[in-house]
Amino acid sequence: MDLQTLTYIVVGLSFALYIGIAFWARAGSTSEFYVAGGGIHPVANGMATAADWMSAASFISMAGLIAFFGYGGTVFLMGWTGGYVLLAMLLAPYLRKYGKFTVPEFIGDRYYSNTARVVAVVCLILASVTYVIGQMKGVGVAFSRFLEVDYDTGLYIGMGIVFLYAVLGGMKGITYTQIAQYCVLILAYTIPAIFISLHLTGNPIPQFGLGGTLAGTDTYLLDKLDQIVQDIGFSEYTTQFRLSMTNTFFYTLSLMIGTAGLPHVIIRFFTVPKVSDARKSAGWALVFIAILYTTAPAVAAMARYNLMNTLEPAPGEYMKYDERPSWFSTWEKTGLLAVEDKNGDGRIHYSANKDENELVKIDNDIMVLANPEIAGLPNWVIALVAAGGLAAALSTAAGLLLAISSAISHDLLKGVFRPDISEKGELMASRITMAFAIMAAGYLGLNPPGFAAGTVALAFGLAASSIFPAVMMGIFSKKINKEGAVWGMVGGIGITLFYVFQHKGIMFIPGTEFLGSMKPNWFFGIEPNAFGAVGAIVNFAIAFAVSKVTAAPPEHIQHIVEDIRVPSGVGSASNH
């Protein structure tokens, strides 16, 4: 059976599964729509959290970034993993004990202020929308590539699938669909890795294969890779930093607290029955995430090694363009891979020297998606990777859209404008809001703004500088009052946007930088994508300073903050 037919069958079966779950798990109340009824088993919630956490960026892009940045690319691995640990240890159990539907609802109650709640909604929407733009673009690219349709058709198909299970089931439908999507994506990620590790190193476990020797030799895989990349002028694969030590530190910290502050993951811990279940589900999610995240460095190194060997099978013998493999020409059609025969010899010369390099474009995302083809694996494995990539893109997009619609229907409509709305009316409003959120996200995916490429990184910075500090201080400091929280969020997200727009242009429009060229103005050499950590520090500083000179929080609020961290009653949680 040819690859395309097999891809249609595997992807079609996964879609049928998602749609079947959508009808089975229809939400009948606001509790089911916002938090899946609060009765999800910890293991199931751990699996759904892992799928929610691991977006197309984790499945497709992370290994590609590590493959080309080497050690410097591991900031994403450390930042995203560390962020999850931070969330699991410091936020999730306490937020579940508080017993609310959404993050802005917690902030509004803790800081006894509708203003704080509205500011949190604005920050949440800013972070989620910037993130979802990148996800919808990923949905369009992945669907168009694997289903061989144009980008717009691919995006419409993706929107239709998300519409069915998100609008019908809300959090309940999304949860059970994400469990299925996790199974699909983890099989799609690990099976090719096992095949490739076995082929290259003779060890079927990729994590061990990464540290092992090449099959039939005494040469370690990483030593060989270091030698190959250095021979053509690149930095050593296993030691290079991302710009500088300081920048690497702040980039990792920004990703860490940014991911811990992303609302679509935080709300997953509202879906379990008890506080102890929130801790258990956090532990299970860490296990499920670790399976992919510990495999990624192996996938990256092996993909880079296979690519180098394909382009230059023996020293000085470069691949002939006319004899390029089929996967190469397929990716050329997408525009993500491009060649320019500068010396006219009909061969592809890959080098760090820009004047000599003839592989003028190779997108990071290709490394995972094309890896099975580069390694010559069977067609069914390649089709499985296609289904996995689509599952990863859909799972995170659905979670983000739910966070946005919940913020509007529950926090703004019921919490501020229509407190007397009936449950039936709120449920209908939630579905309508979700439908509009999907259409708006689809529109942005069809007409991506010029800054689309930078939005995913920006989302982490916005969440890090606004939501994370407010939630942290809400749990661990009874001295922070409503004025401090509000001005802290405004100051943190404001300084982050100011810095990003100064260096990348207002709304990423070239030529609108307002303080001159980029690198000379970097604050201690920190790149804009890493500035969220500085924004978070500003947020903390403002919140404490303003709280110091304004009235202390009411007594009952201070008691709530003390009670939320008391170990007694850890098995119980407030009802939603």
Side-chain angles (χ1 to χ4, degrees), residues 87 91 95 103 260-270 467 471:
L87 172 60
L91 304 184
L95 287 173
V103 174
L262 284 176
H264 71 289
V265 179
I266 293 178
I267 59 176
R268 286 238 49 91
F269 294 99
F270 299 160
I467 296 171
V471 175

Side-chain angles (χ1 to χ4, degrees), residues 208-332:
F208 294 149
L210 177 65
T213 57
L214 290 166
T217 74
D218 294 328
T219 307
Y220 284 95
L221 168 66
L222 290 174
D223 287 344
K224 184 67 175 175
L225 189 53
D226 275 343
Q227 179 205 327
I228 293 175
V229 297
Q230 285 182 299
D231 283 349
I232 57 173
F234 290 101
S235 301
E236 196 175 50
Y237 184 83
T238 54
T239 59
Q240 59 177 321
F241 273 115
R242 185 179 174 87
L243 297 182
S244 68
M245 177 74 87
T246 304
N247 184 68
T248 298
F249 172 79
F250 275 95
Y251 209 138
T252 305
L253 185 61
S254 183
L255 290 172
M256 190 181 291
I257 59 178
T259 46
L262 284 176
H264 71 289
V265 179
I266 293 178
I267 59 176
R268 286 238 49 91
F269 294 99
F270 299 160
T271 66
V272 292
K274 297 180 293 184
V275 175
S276 57
D277 290 336
R279 294 184 191 278
K280 289 176 187 172
S281 67
W284 279 109
L286 192 57
V287 171
F288 294 130
I289 290 169
I291 295 173
L292 189 145
Y293 271 43
T294 57
T295 307
V299 170
M302 293 174 190
R304 183 75 183 272
Y305 179 82
N306 277 330
L307 176 70
M308 305 291 282
N309 273 346
T310 302
L311 294 170
E312 191 177 352
E317 290 185 17
Y318 304 111
M319 183 177 77
K320 291 181 179 176
Y321 183 74
D322 292 339
E323 296 176 2
R324 65 194 188 285
S326 59
W327 65 264
F328 199 99
S329 52
T330 303
W331 283 101
E332 276 186 296

Side-chain angles (χ1 to χ4, degrees), residues 497-527:
L497 282 173
F498 176 85
Y499 191 78
V500 171
F501 288 161
Q502 130 65 14
H503 290 90
K504 295 195 170 187
I506 298 172
M507 300 305 286
F508 295 79
I509 298 170
T512 59
E513 302 87 354
F514 40 87
L515 290 178
S517 59
M518 292 177 64
K519 279 191 177 181
N521 290 325
W522 282 8
F523 183 73
F524 289 108
I526 300 170
E527 60 185 304

Side-chain angles (χ1 to χ4, degrees), residues 81-102:
T81 308
Y84 179 76
V85 175
L86 207 58
L87 172 60
M89 298 295 291
L90 298 181
L91 304 184
Y94 305 114
L95 287 173
R96 178 62 192 96
K97 188 175 181 182
Y98 204 80
K100 295 297 174 185
F101 281 140
T102 66

Side-chain angles (χ1 to χ4, degrees), residues 379-408:
N379 282 349
W380 69 267
V381 178
I382 300 168
L384 189 60
V385 171
L390 298 176
L394 290 174
S395 62
T396 302
L400 286 164
L401 290 165
L402 180 68
I404 295 170
S405 65
S406 300
I408 295 172

